[in-house]
Amino acid sequence: MSTHKTSRFPAWATSFGNQIIASLIVGILLGILALNMGGTPKEDPNWLMTTLDTIATTYVSLLRTAVIPLVFTAVVASIANLAQVTNAARLAFQTLIWFAITAFFSVLIGIFLGVITKPGANTGLTTPETYSGTTGSWLAFITSLVPSNFVGLSVGVKESAEGALSASPSFNVLQILVISIAVGIAALKVGEPAEAFLNFNRSALAIIQKILWWIIRLAPLGTLGLIGRAVYSYGWTSMGSLAKFVAVLYVGLALVFLVLYPLIVKMHGLSVKQYYSGVWPAVQLGFVSRSSMGTMPLTQTVTERNLGVPRAYASFAVPLGATTKMDGCAAVYPALAAIFVAQFYGIDLSISQYLLIVLVSVLGSTATAGTTGAVVMLTLTLSTLGLPLDGVGLLLAIDPIIDMGRTALNVAGQALVPAIVAKREGLLNETAYNAPRDHEGFTDESLTADSAPYTAADVSVGAGASVRA
């Protein structure tokens, strides 16, 4: 007797990608309706404006909530996996170097496109009152890496016009990274007494990933609120600039995926076609899920099984990459977004600020933390450069559209670097790398002695994309 359950809804209705597109359309319509109902977004919002703003704000808060525990547990678990790797220090160093190399060239592509295409120019908007005219500081960025306390927490206190005080806590994600690396290395050095802690950390990471998936499933609702809020807050002039920004960003993502990555693959004597066919199942899932962490199990599978990277090394490199290897979210995007925000508000950037963009993008990529969206990374970049943080709210409106492409590129890079490092160190199983793929995009498991049990049966991507989580 078959236990297969048939869905009450057609495949097109349960497709995550289709749900996002539908949310964008409905959000635009609700934004137009809110605009025509009267009222002003800040002084006198109508009930629909308030509703859309509440939905948008709540969804962003949920994403931010997952960032801190996700960074800590994922980084500690990745470093702990080094205990299984021979010549671990050399492999870790090579991995981080290649993370930085690909991020460096990706951010240059973002800066080049921003300067050439000027996606945010000629809006006619005035500089917001929140902009003080200050510029970013190299020293301030470097000193901000030093943890102020164990949890990287700071509290800002504000006084209202009535004299009431309010406190707003915030976390410095880069400080959390420094703490996580220190704890992970210390756990490795301690050895057996730290096993109980590391087992607890692995369990915590699995729980956080499950919670993150629940948040991801709310993305269509969050998209509706964010795009609706953007329409009634900024009007059609701004939306036109945002559309140009989306187009330019996707050109940048395509240049990295179709030009930079193939060049690196070819330089190491590997087949470009085999790289694309091998990584494609994970790239598709990254596109629809918009989460590097949510895609990580499949990314690790294709890295081991299709690209021939040994499991002992892949179990370190892929989880670490899911939190720190973000060529889409933390290189192309923040570079182009910072230039867009400056142009949008008529602010000229100096050579020093362009150099700061490169530094923040290469060193600060972990701020994305594998969650959907790059809100934290964008905030970090704008604040380091001294640009108006109003740009964060502006770009959040189109985040679901651009995050699909950004995450797909992130995932492609997270599989690329382990393959390149394994090739350079003589660890790559080139038989598995060059083997034909089956109809689901996977290499015969028998060719990879230590391949993972996570297979295409766990993931179905396409017109009716669904993910088992």
Side-chain angles (χ1 to χ4, degrees):
M1 181 177 176
S2 174
T3 58
H4 178 70
K5 292 182 179 180
T6 57
S7 175
R8 290 177 295 177
F9 302 98
W12 62 265
T14 58
S15 165
F16 191 68
N18 288 344
Q19 290 172 4
I20 291 290
I21 294 172
S23 298
L24 287 169
I25 296 172
V26 174
I28 290 173
L29 295 176
L30 290 176
I32 295 172
L33 178 60
L35 198 59
N36 292 324
M37 286 173 62
T40 55
K42 292 183 179 180
E43 288 79 14
D44 182 30
N46 58 55
W47 69 268
L48 184 53
M49 288 180 179
T50 302
T51 301
L52 292 172
D53 182 68
T54 301
I55 293 172
T57 303
T58 303
Y59 182 66
V60 172
S61 296
L62 285 174
L63 286 176
R64 287 175 172 166
T65 301
V67 168
I68 302 305
L70 190 60
V71 170
F72 183 85
T73 55
V75 172
V76 171
S78 300
I79 294 175
N81 288 333
L82 279 174
Q84 308 168 24
V85 184
T86 305
N87 202 7
R90 178 179 172 83
L91 283 174
F93 179 75
Q94 287 279 331
T95 303
L96 294 175
I97 287 294
W98 277 97
F99 281 178
I101 289 172
T102 53
F104 175 75
F105 286 104
S106 297
V107 74
L108 291 184
I109 289 173
I111 291 174
F112 173 78
L113 288 175
V115 171
I116 295 299
T117 63
K118 302 185 185 306
N122 303 318
T123 60
L125 295 184
T126 58
T127 305
E129 296 177 359
T130 52
Y131 179 60
S132 62
T134 58
T135 58
S137 165
W138 288 78
L139 183 61
F141 173 72
I142 294 172
T143 55
S144 71
L145 298 177
V146 180
S148 54
N149 51 67
F150 184 73
V151 293
L153 175 67
S154 61
V155 179
V157 179
K158 295 182 179 179
E159 184 176 358
S160 66
E162 293 78 19
L165 295 178
S166 62
S168 55
S170 62
F171 290 90
N172 185 315
V173 181
L174 289 178
Q175 291 181 10
I176 296 294
L177 172 65
V178 173
I179 295 167
S180 305
I181 292 173
V183 171
I185 294 174
L188 272 184
K189 293 292 185 182
V190 169
E192 187 175 345
E195 277 303 312
F197 166 74
L198 293 177
N199 288 332
F200 171 79
N201 185 79
R202 293 186 189 100
S203 298
L205 176 59
I207 292 170
I208 293 164
Q209 284 182 281
K210 174 63 71 174
I211 294 173
L212 174 62
W213 181 253
W214 293 341
I215 297 174
I216 291 171
R217 291 303 302 163
L218 294 174
L221 185 61
T223 300
L224 183 147
L226 287 165
I227 197 70
R229 183 174 67 178
V231 170
Y232 73 70
S233 295
Y234 298 102
W236 289 111
T237 301
S238 300
M239 297 304 289
S241 295
L242 290 174
K244 184 177 180 181
F245 175 81
V246 171
V248 174
L249 178 64
Y250 267 91
V251 170
L253 299 176
L255 287 174
V256 175
F257 185 57
L258 300 176
V259 178
L260 177 61
Y261 286 179
L263 281 175
I264 294 174
V265 171
K266 203 68 178 173
M267 283 170 52
H268 288 84
L270 296 173
S271 166
V272 173
K273 179 183 176 182
Q274 288 297 105
Y275 163 69
Y276 281 133
S277 64
V279 79
W280 191 246
V283 170
Q284 290 184 91
L285 179 58
F287 187 84
V288 297
S289 72
R290 299 172 52 229
S291 170
S292 293
M293 288 301 295
T295 311
M296 186 183 72
L298 183 58
T299 306
Q300 186 168 331
T301 295
V302 300
T303 303
E304 297 172 9
R305 183 170 166 179
N306 289 1
L307 302 185
V309 178
R311 173 182 288 182
Y313 170 51
S315 65
F316 158 73
V318 175
L320 183 66
T323 53
T324 62
K325 174 60 182 162
M326 303 283 176
D327 288 339
C329 290
V332 181
Y333 172 70
L336 187 59
I339 295 171
F340 170 82
V341 170
Q343 293 170 350
F344 193 85
Y345 293 117
I347 301 167
D348 294 325
L349 294 178
S350 64
I351 295 297
S352 175
Q353 286 175 302
Y354 282 116
L355 293 175
L356 265 177
I357 292 174
V358 176
L359 179 67
V360 173
S361 298
V362 173
L363 296 183
S365 60
T366 193
T368 49
T371 59
T372 59
V375 178
V376 182
M377 185 64 195
L378 179 58
T379 304
L380 172 67
T381 306
L382 295 182
S383 58
T384 302
L385 294 174
L387 292 173
L389 293 180
D390 303 62
V392 176
L394 176 66
L395 290 173
L396 269 175
I398 54 170
D399 198 72
I401 308 171
I402 57 182
D403 199 36
M404 293 185 287
R406 287 185 321 213
T407 307
L409 180 64
N410 293 341
V411 169
Q414 289 156 15
L416 170 70
V417 169
I420 295 303
V421 173
K423 169 66 175 178
R424 293 173 65 89
E425 296 297 312
L427 302 174
L428 192 69
N429 181 346
E430 295 194 43
T431 301
Y433 185 97
N434 293 312
R437 322 291 186 204
D438 62 22
H439 68 283
E440 292 179 323
F442 287 86
T443 299
D444 187 342
E445 194 169 358
S446 64
L447 296 175
T448 310
D450 58 359
S451 58
Y454 192 97
T455 66
D458 294 303
V459 180
S460 174
V461 180
S466 61
V467 183
R468 191 174 76 183

